[in-house]
Amino acid sequence: MAFFGLFGNDKDMAASTYSGRESASEKASRKRREAHHRSARAADRQGQAWEDAERHRQDGRGRWGR
C-alpha cells in the first residue's frame, strides 16, 4: 500500500530529489580529510619555526650572544 506515494519509492525519490547532492557519509569523510590536512599544515609550520630558531641559534646568536 502506498500512502500518498511516500512508501515504496525511496530509491526513485532519492534518485530524483537528492541527485547531485553530497551524501552524509561522503560529507563526513571529506571533513575528516580536511581536518587532517589542517593539522599537517600546522605541524609543518611548527617544524619550520623550530628550524628557523635552531639555525638562528647556531649562527652565533646562541646562549652568550658571541
Side-chain angles (χ1 to χ4, degrees):
M1 174 178 133
F3 183 74
F4 296 110
L6 296 178
F7 298 111
N9 65 347
D10 294 341
K11 289 184 181 180
D12 296 334
M13 239 176 110
S16 62
T17 306
Y18 300 111
S19 64
R21 293 176 74 188
E22 185 177 35
S23 72
S25 59
E26 288 171 347
K27 182 178 180 179
S29 65
R30 179 176 52 81
K31 294 274 189 182
R32 279 192 300 274
R33 284 192 307 272
E34 288 172 357
H36 169 74
H37 291 299
R38 270 195 305 274
S39 64
R41 282 193 302 262
D44 185 44
R45 284 192 202 108
Q46 187 178 19
Q48 188 66 46
W50 176 85
E51 183 182 354
D52 291 343
E54 187 67 10
R55 186 169 290 124
H56 186 69
R57 185 188 67 78
Q58 289 176 351
D59 285 344
R61 306 225 188 318
R63 190 173 187 173
W64 293 284
R66 294 185 196 161

